Amino acid sequence: TEKGYHDGQKPQRRKRILLDSNVALGENSKEGNSLRRSSTDRLSELTQQLPGVPESVLQRLVEEFEVTYGEPEFIDVLYQNQPITRILSKVLPPEAQPPPSSYEQIGHVAHFNLRQTHIPHGKLIGRVLLDRLQPSIRTVVNKLGEVGGPYRTYQMDLLAGEDDYFVRVIEHGVSLFFDLRNVYWCTRLEGERTYMIENEFKPNQLVADAFCGVGALCIRAAAAKGCRVLANDLNPDAVTYCEDSAKRNGIDVGENGKFQVQCGDASQFIMNLGIDMSDSSSAEDTGVSNLPDHLLLNFPLDSPSFLNALRWWPSGENNIESPPRVHVYTFARGDEVRTAAEVAIDMVADGLLPEGGYVEPSKFRGEYLNEELGCNIEAREIRDAAPGKLVICVSFSVTPVLLRRMQGDYGLD
């Protein structure tokens, strides 16, 4: 029987397969006697009783494990053992079916993005989730509207539980602390952060992040690879949380530390990376660049527009083994002739070297960036943002010849 919200209903019959009949069945039991029937008879019975199981699977069960069909048995499936979606399917009215099937957990907060048909029943949905998942979940909310504003935040409606939005998120051993109402956070980017740390960053490299948010990638890079970090975000709350979380994870934070965080415009931050390098005497003395090994621009709405700030970086030859690598995240849709990744590369190319006076913009500019400027540009699909709309990461090297082109120098190299 299934107990919980539907106590009193007729018990539901369940089918069982006995996989260890020698232990489960008695010598003279009805089921024990059925085992002494031929495997053909047992396979025929199983096929009739379990029509949803492929016959090849049933045949193997009969031949290798001497499976037989057992007598129907009543079992108790308690409320706390049932999937949340099944409970909701029982308590929500027909107009709210099918029930919501997914939510995002951010610390102790469960975050729904309910459809219009579910919103009138949001409080009930919240109570069910809270009832089933306490104490790991203490607050259930529904997102209202879209992510927007300069800090990419959104409004939320409390469905059930505590009015407490200050969360602790643990990601690969790193603890992050922030108020969910004041910052942008996306749990789905955890995999991308892991990819960057495991495949792009090398120990002790200098990583600059122009849109660091609460610092998940930066703090993880510092903790896992010993990377030096220059982080920036326009949101002062995000900067505060980033700095606080870094300290709580034992990272040396401050002007003289390996982890520096600032609040400001991303274009100015990128520009200053080059200006600070030009003003520094260490590069001239040692022949080693002070530019970051990696620069991240994770603002998919408009990242390519910030690339023109790179023209302030010094373009003279230096002795570094590899030029800085820039990683630009952007939304893109494929068109009649290009994939979404090719469109994203063209968007980055236009941010670096805008074309003027054209009737139609050029396409497939990645070839020029690679063959003529040595940028080693490439693109990866990160995730679906909407039907046909993808988040793409475009990575390229900032070579001296690229910088000279951006600065208007088209002389011979």
Side-chain angles (χ1 to χ4, degrees):
T1 58
E2 296 180 345
K3 295 183 178 180
Y5 278 96
H6 47 291
D7 280 342
Q9 292 186 1
K10 182 179 179 180
Q12 298 194 12
R13 297 168 69 86
R14 290 287 182 265
K15 299 173 181 178
R16 62 172 176 157
I17 296 177
L18 302 177
L19 296 179
D20 194 352
S21 56
N22 291 328
V23 174
L25 303 178
E27 181 72 23
N28 298 315
S29 70
K30 178 180 179 181
E31 290 168 338
N33 291 330
S34 71
L35 278 176
R36 284 179 277 278
R37 293 184 297 137
S38 69
S39 60
T40 302
D41 291 340
R42 283 185 281 126
L43 177 60
S44 176
E45 184 178 24
L46 285 173
T47 302
Q48 294 176 8
Q49 299 293 341
L50 303 171
V53 181
E55 185 174 349
S56 60
V57 174
L58 295 176
Q59 186 171 359
R60 183 184 176 191
L61 289 173
V62 169
E63 293 177 353
E64 296 186 22
F65 302 99
E66 297 186 342
V67 166
T68 186
Y69 179 75
E71 288 293 315
E73 178 185 9
F74 296 114
I75 60 174
D76 289 335
V77 182
L78 302 179
Y79 170 67
Q80 62 266 28
N81 300 126
Q82 296 190 46
I84 293 172
T85 52
R86 181 165 182 80
I87 298 173
L88 291 175
S89 70
K90 298 294 184 181
V91 300
L92 290 176
E95 62 269 18
Q97 302 291 343
S101 59
S102 63
Y103 62 91
E104 179 180 5
Q105 182 171 351
I106 309 171
H108 68 271
V109 176
H111 164 245
F112 277 103
N113 192 2
L114 295 178
R115 298 178 180 177
Q116 285 299 123
T117 54
H118 297 143
I119 290 177
H121 313 282
K123 302 296 184 183
L124 175 58
I125 293 170
R127 289 201 304 272
V128 170
L129 191 76
L130 191 68
D131 189 34
R132 279 285 282 103
L133 299 182
Q134 282 182 319
S136 61
I137 295 295
R138 304 197 309 272
T139 304
V140 185
V141 301
N142 179 45
K143 174 184 173 185
L144 299 178
E146 299 296 326
V147 173
Y151 304 148
R152 298 178 288 167
T153 56
Y154 56 86
Q155 298 296 314
M156 60 186 73
D157 178 35
L158 178 64
L159 300 180
E162 304 172 10
D163 190 20
D164 176 16
Y165 307 97
F166 191 84
V167 299
R168 178 193 182 193
V169 175
I170 302 176
E171 188 172 291
H172 288 260
V174 166
S175 295
L176 307 166
F177 301 85
F178 54 90
D179 190 318
L180 186 59
R181 298 169 298 181
N182 300 333
V183 298
Y184 174 81
W185 173 259
C186 182
T187 302
R188 289 178 295 173
L189 291 177
E190 178 182 353
E192 173 61 14
R193 291 188 280 267
T194 300
Y195 175 89
M196 293 299 296
I197 292 169
E198 293 182 351
N199 298 281
E200 295 287 348
F201 301 164
K202 294 181 174 59
N204 303 314
Q205 283 188 325
L206 177 58
V207 175
D209 191 342
F211 303 95
C212 69
V214 298
L217 177 60
C218 295
I219 296 172
R220 285 184 56 188
K225 289 290 183 75
C227 292
R228 294 173 294 137
V229 171
L230 298 174
N232 174 81
D233 202 273
L234 186 65
N235 184 346
D237 288 323
V239 169
T240 298
Y241 299 140
C242 177
E243 188 173 41
D244 176 62
S245 294
K247 291 177 179 177
R248 293 193 192 207
N249 284 277
I251 296 171
D252 186 13
V253 180
E255 291 185 5
N256 299 320
K258 295 180 63 176
F259 196 102
Q260 300 179 30
V261 193
Q262 68 181 55
C263 182
D265 175 72
S267 290
Q268 190 67 47
F269 172 76
I270 298 169
M271 186 187 306
N272 287 341
L273 293 173
I275 294 175
D276 292 345
M277 188 270 180
S278 299
D279 293 340
S280 172
S281 61
S282 62
E284 299 177 1
D285 295 340
T286 65
V288 177
S289 173
N290 287 331
L291 289 173
D293 296 289
H294 299 274
L295 170 62
L296 292 106
L297 304 179
N298 194 346
F299 181 44
L301 282 174
D302 203 24
S303 286
S305 70
F306 292 86
L307 292 172
N308 61 1
L310 293 174
R311 71 182 188 273
W312 292 92
W313 287 17
S315 59
E317 295 290 347
N318 50 55
N319 296 328
I320 57 175
E321 295 182 0
S322 59
R325 195 81 174 150
V326 178
H327 310 277
V328 183
Y329 294 81
T330 184
F331 294 127
R333 294 179 183 271
D335 57 25
E336 295 82 1
V337 296
R338 297 174 297 175
T339 65
E342 290 168 335
V343 170
I345 288 176
D346 285 340
M347 293 169 65
V348 168
D350 198 51
L352 293 169
L353 298 167
E355 295 181 306
Y358 57 75
V359 177
E360 291 186 4
S362 299
K363 297 178 180 178
F364 305 106
R365 297 181 68 191
E367 183 176 343
Y368 170 74
L369 291 173
N370 283 338
E371 295 183 0
E372 300 295 327
L373 306 183
C375 292
N376 188 26
I377 193 167
E378 55 189 8
R380 293 183 295 112
E381 294 184 5
I382 305 304
R383 62 181 178 90
D384 293 330
K389 182 180 179 181
L390 303 177
V391 177
I392 305 291
C393 177
V394 179
S395 300
F396 65 92
S397 298
V398 185
T399 61
V401 64
L402 169 64
L403 291 172
R404 288 198 290 274
R405 292 291 186 271
M406 296 181 69
Q407 294 161 2
D409 180 1
Y410 286 84
L412 294 176
D413 298 307

